[in-house]
Amino acid sequence: MKLEISLPNIEPISLNHATKISTRGKFATKYKTEAYKQLESSMGNALRGYRKEINKFNNKYTSGKYYLVAEYRFFYPILLKSGDAISKKSKDVSNLTKVVEDILFKQIMADDAEVISLTVTKIHSKDIRTEIILELKDLRHIL
């Protein structure tokens, strides 16, 4: 079973911009940034439109019976204005996934630790969106 989600106008934030650490003496506190809170709210609102599909996915999923294959596609401007190189501001692809994954998996009954294959792609586009495909695979195929 596949769960396919397209989130228009959702541009991910880097893991580096998702949390801040505040220290007082020997104690450190980690907290969500405003950018993280805004992304979490935007994704939550967009995911409401997929409630039926998410419920089907959750009903089909059984821990210990399936593993997950995930694909993330991030569409946003990544090239320099000249179009001849990738901008240094285009965000680290490995840092993009974790934040989106953490927010998504609050809606899904599975644990993100059960993702055993991950494909992540940044695609240059003026139309910002995030696409996610999660697929349940039978665990017996890898045992």
Side-chain angles (χ1 to χ4, degrees), residues 76-123:
Y76 66 97
I78 62 171
L79 298 176
L80 294 173
K81 287 185 182 186
S82 61
D84 60 355
I86 294 176
S87 169
K88 299 286 185 198
K89 297 179 182 179
S90 75
K91 302 175 188 148
D92 184 353
V93 72
S94 58
N95 280 343
L96 294 176
T97 309
K98 186 62 180 155
V99 176
V100 170
E101 188 174 61
D102 286 346
I103 294 169
L104 174 65
F105 274 80
K106 289 178 183 175
Q107 307 279 328
I108 298 190
M109 301 305 274
D111 185 338
D112 58 352
E114 295 170 307
V115 174
I116 68 162
S117 177
L118 177 65
T119 304
V120 183
T121 309
K122 293 188 300 188
I123 301 163

Side-chain angles (χ1 to χ4, degrees), residues 6 25 39 48 54 59 67 80 104 106 118 120 123 128 134:
S6 181
L39 178 62
R48 282 191 196 100
I54 290 171
N59 289 336
Y67 66 91
L80 294 173
L104 174 65
K106 289 178 183 175
L118 177 65
V120 183
I123 301 163
I128 295 170
L134 290 179

Side-chain angles (χ1 to χ4, degrees), residues 32-62:
K32 297 175 186 177
T33 62
E34 287 304 314
Y36 183 96
K37 291 175 187 176
Q38 185 173 349
L39 178 62
E40 190 173 39
S41 175
S42 297
M43 278 187 65
N45 290 336
L47 288 170
R48 282 191 196 100
Y50 289 91
R51 181 57 32 213
K52 184 177 178 181
E53 292 89 346
I54 290 171
N55 286 340
K56 273 187 195 177
F57 186 88
N58 286 338
N59 289 336
K60 175 83 173 166
Y61 171 79
T62 303

Side-chain angles (χ1 to χ4, degrees), residues 56-75:
K56 273 187 195 177
F57 186 88
N58 286 338
N59 289 336
K60 175 83 173 166
Y61 171 79
T62 303
S63 183
K65 187 174 180 184
Y66 296 102
Y67 66 91
L68 295 166
V69 172
E71 181 175 356
Y72 294 87
R73 295 184 205 133
F74 301 107
F75 295 81

